[in-house]
Amino acid sequence: MRKKRLKILYAASEVVPFAKTGGLADVAGALPKQLKQLGHDVRVIMPKYSSIKETKFRLREVIRLRDIEVSVGDQTYQISIKSAFIPDTKVQVYFVEHGDLYNREGLYTDPKTGESYSDNDVRYILLSRGALEIAKILYWQPEIIHVNDWQTALIPLYLKTLYKDDPFFNGTRTVLSVHNLGYQGIFPPSAVRLTGLPETMLFPMAPIEFYGSFSFLKAGLEYADIITTVSPTYAREIQTDPEFGVGLEGVLQRRSQDLVGILNGIDDAEWNPELDPLIARKYSKADFAGKEENKKALLEFSGLKYHRGTPVIGIISRLADQKGFDLIAAVLDRLSALDLQIVVLGTGEEKYHRLFKQAAEQFPQKFSVQLGFNNQLAHQIEAGADMFLMPSRYEPCGLNQMYSFMYGTVPIVRATGGLADTVIDVSEHPDTGTGFSFREYNATKMLDAIQRALSLYKDSEAWHALQLRGMNQDFSWRNSAKKYVEIYEQALKKPGPAIG
Ligand code: ADP
């Protein structure tokens, strides 16, 4: 039987290459491409932030979608839509434009203060309602609306409340993907008024209530037809362990029949040492010499001396508690005494900025630190480093360990979430291992994994075999995209909004 061609509206707050703060953007840039290749009619909707350059991405006005009025609480906002394609694809992206609300430097936080914008509730309610209104004006009836994280999590709520009797959305079902349960979009109870829903919807234990506040993510978890998260292990962890479930374990357990973990893929056209225009020299499994050239170039850029035989460990990360860098702080001296060099690229919390700056001052031959967001340098670190460290406290999926595999860079990870699903410890599995991992969240255990890596690195034949095992894996989106289509088909079997 021929599979049905689905109309899918993919709603996300960040999409590569237009805007990115983390993994969600990589997913939102790559999955729709694959869905399109599988023959589906997929369109993406996101805000038009000021960082999205109109000429660079050839944004065009959509005349029919100019000055659309969308109400958020008592206020009416006028939005206009610009449209472009994800580069080199036919995936259409609708950019929601609003002068005051989206035309800002930061996505969610003000870069000047580091604080979240105080009107994020208004901004993402407008995006969510705007998405539904635009579909109606276009008379484009999506069978699936795939929403992502708290920013678009109110769409499932809307379809089962305000829009439940709207025949336009009769055939529409929703899928919510949770990329990180640590960010829930929690707002004061007064924010309920902004949704256009009765304030009485917020009562103790209500679907949208979280400790007296209004949680956008919880609303999505309650009302989405299917919930996905980005790795099988994380899907289990968030249901069973309060440290991972962050207070939402109950809802997640209740919805466990509708909760699926699908490992993210990676865009193997963008993260591929054979094709990568951003690195010093291209290389491949067959022609591996270029890797050492990249290492030299990276060290030179980083102001570190090249020593043959001394491994370089790369770190590219948001600098947040989730990422486990307090483990590095705990063993900084012992780490610096080892024969290694560490190149860090990251931005985030001030305390980690301080930690890494201090490390670079104290051990200038060992540490090089770039505080900021720099995609080109991220590629150069993947290509130039020998090892890649991710000691995460929790990690829904993690992308950099998979990028590392592509570049023959061996990951050292804490076995949690997607890291546990993708990295096989070579000390435990000498013939099939692809990296190094440690289970307990403990600095000595991390150090032990690093030391195991340093010791295998000395055996260049065994090390190269390990690199090749990593490079031979297929983490491309093709497999994962097919799983999403199965999920969409499952969602379509769910009862319609009017019944839900
Ligand atoms: P998370 O979504 O939790 O930040 P992921 O590993 O899923 O973590 O995805 C992070 C993505 O963001 C990767 O593509 C990584 O390369 C990129 N990234 C993170 N920090 C930086 C940075 N400072 N500069 C460039 N890219 C970064």
Side-chain angles (χ1 to χ4, degrees), residues 20-24 26 180 271 316-318 322-323 345-347 372-375 378 390 395 397-401 403:
K20 165 166 168 174
T21 66
L24 162 62
D26 294 79
N180 193 333
W271 295 92
I316 304 165
S317 188
R318 285 187 297 115
Q322 171 203 341
K323 300 293 180 179
L345 167 64
T347 175
F373 196 93
N374 182 338
N375 185 50
M390 298 176 80
E395 194 60 75
C397 177
L399 293 169
N400 275 112
Q401 80 280 16
Y403 299 153

Side-chain angles (χ1 to χ4, degrees), residues 291-301 306 308 384:
K291 179 138 182 89
E292 200 68 10
E293 296 304 312
N294 281 293
K295 178 171 173 176
K296 286 180 187 159
L298 173 65
L299 287 171
E300 192 178 329
F301 173 85
Y306 171 78
R308 176 172 290 282

Side-chain angles (χ1 to χ4, degrees), residues 119-424:
D119 54 359
N120 275 344
D121 44 5
V122 177
R123 298 172 76 222
Y124 291 103
I125 287 171
L126 182 65
L127 177 67
S128 301
R129 279 202 81 169
L132 298 175
E133 292 302 322
I134 286 155
K136 289 183 70 169
I137 297 172
L138 288 171
Y139 210 79
W140 185 74
Q141 266 174 308
E143 274 114 1
I144 295 292
I145 305 185
H146 188 157
V147 304
N148 292 278
D149 283 350
W150 68 265
Q151 291 90 342
T152 46
L154 292 186
I155 291 178
L157 165 70
Y158 275 135
L159 285 183
K160 290 195 174 158
T161 52
L162 273 192
Y163 291 78
K164 82 175 166 32
D165 298 318
D166 187 333
F168 187 83
F169 292 112
N170 239 344
T172 303
R173 302 293 179 272
T174 55
V175 173
L176 164 67
S177 289
V178 178
H179 299 261
N180 193 333
L181 207 64
Y183 300 85
Q184 301 183 356
I186 294 177
F187 296 96
S190 56
V192 177
R193 224 178 315 132
L194 301 171
T195 62
L197 291 163
E199 280 175 74
T200 49
M201 272 199 81
L202 193 105
F203 54 86
M205 312 292 282
I208 66 168
E209 187 263 358
F210 190 71
Y211 293 99
S213 295
F214 176 16
S215 163
F216 283 22
L217 186 63
K218 185 169 171 232
L221 294 175
E222 294 274 7
Y223 288 98
D225 290 306
I226 306 259
I227 303 161
T228 73
T229 187
V230 288
S231 70
T233 295
Y234 191 60
R236 267 195 310 280
E237 287 169 340
I238 56 178
Q239 293 178 65
T240 49
D241 188 332
E243 205 191 317
F244 296 94
V246 223
L248 293 171
E249 310 82 77
V251 191
L252 291 161
Q253 274 162 23
R254 198 156 27 75
R255 296 229 50 200
S256 73
Q257 291 300 316
D258 297 319
L259 170 59
V260 188
I262 303 177
L263 197 68
N264 283 337
I266 57 171
D267 187 335
D268 54 4
E270 201 203 333
W271 295 92
N272 184 340
E274 278 184 65
L275 309 171
D276 196 334
L278 303 175
I279 62 178
R281 200 175 126 192
K282 298 187 177 67
Y283 62 97
S284 66
K285 279 180 276 188
D287 174 16
F288 203 64
K291 179 138 182 89
E292 200 68 10
E293 296 304 312
N294 281 293
K295 178 171 173 176
K296 286 180 187 159
L298 173 65
L299 287 171
E300 192 178 329
F301 173 85
S302 308
L304 295 174
K305 258 213 199 90
Y306 171 78
H307 304 283
R308 176 172 290 282
T310 298
V312 169
I313 299 184
I315 293 175
I316 304 165
S317 188
R318 285 187 297 115
L319 300 179
D321 289 338
Q322 171 203 341
K323 300 293 180 179
F325 298 118
D326 52 340
L327 297 187
I328 294 189
V331 288
L332 192 60
D333 289 338
R334 280 196 281 163
L335 193 58
S336 309
L338 300 174
D339 181 24
L340 48 71
Q341 290 167 310
I342 298 184
V343 177
V344 182
L345 167 64
T347 175
E349 286 178 39
E350 189 49 40
K351 63 181 173 189
Y352 298 114
H353 285 206
R354 270 202 305 276
L355 164 71
F356 285 119
K357 265 198 277 195
Q358 251 167 24
E361 273 162 27
Q362 207 178 336
F363 307 102
Q365 279 92 24
K366 298 264 164 171
F367 275 90
S368 165
V369 178
Q370 305 291 329
L371 298 174
F373 196 93
N374 182 338
N375 185 50
Q376 173 158 17
L377 183 57
H379 282 250
Q380 290 166 346
I381 292 176
E382 285 296 1
D386 299 291
M387 304 163 189
F388 195 92
L389 180 61
M390 298 176 80
S392 304
R393 190 182 277 276
Y394 74 93
E395 194 60 75
C397 177
L399 293 169
N400 275 112
Q401 80 280 16
M402 293 190 270
Y403 299 153
S404 296
F405 284 136
M406 292 288 292
Y407 287 81
T409 302
V410 176
I412 304 172
V413 305
R414 167 142 189 268
T416 179
L419 297 174
D421 289 335
T422 50
V423 178
I424 305 169

